[in-house]
Amino acid sequence: MIQDISPHPLIAHGASIICRKENRFLLVKRGKEPLKGSLAFPGGGVEAGENAEQAARRELTEETGLHCSRLRLVDTIDLSQEGLYGKVYNLCIFRAYDLSGQEQAGDDAVSLHWLTVEDMLQHIVTVSTLAFARRILQEEG
């Protein structure tokens, strides 16, 4: 038996998508670790052969059933500072515009929730999700 001794990547890449209707943000209840059961923006890892924007579009559709006409890169952060991944995890955070499709939780999303920032305070929401929801409200009004 040959043992796989290939090195594990030291840097992982992911994409997260901010969807907003008025003052509510679309969050998914995470069905997998890390942070299983908490609420966060839809998103996940960048797969081989795709860039962050392609990953964002794929994750949005897989987790919510929705599509968007346009994405804008809001920021890129390193989630390893939250101590969840044990390696550098660069997360590109996109703002989605002009949503279409039929909302339905899928892939590793257990459920979908449209919440205001005030609503988020009553739930277990990831730190970066709450911070970026506040930032978008401040930027967009």
Side-chain angles (χ1 to χ4, degrees), residues 8-103:
H8 295 285
L10 299 177
I11 300 175
H13 299 278
S16 184
I17 308 93
I18 301 171
C19 302
R20 179 182 176 197
K21 284 184 188 175
E22 298 172 4
N23 288 330
R24 297 187 182 279
F25 294 88
L26 179 61
L27 305 183
V28 298
K29 185 172 185 179
R30 296 178 56 87
K32 295 181 182 176
E33 294 296 347
L35 300 172
K36 180 179 179 180
S38 62
L39 299 177
F41 295 128
V46 176
E47 295 181 354
E50 66 182 2
N51 62 37
E53 183 173 331
Q54 292 166 329
R57 290 180 183 279
R58 176 184 49 75
E59 288 288 343
L60 178 63
T61 301
E62 287 177 357
E63 292 188 357
T64 71
L66 298 175
H67 307 277
C68 65
S69 66
R70 182 171 61 95
L71 288 174
R72 174 180 64 88
L73 180 64
V74 174
D75 207 344
T76 300
I77 61 172
D78 177 5
L79 287 181
S80 65
Q81 296 173 14
E82 294 182 14
L84 301 173
Y85 296 95
K87 59 184 167 186
V88 173
Y89 193 98
N90 290 324
L91 182 70
C92 292
I93 301 167
F94 291 92
R95 171 73 165 91
Y97 297 92
D98 304 319
L99 296 175
S100 63
Q102 183 65 40
E103 287 180 25

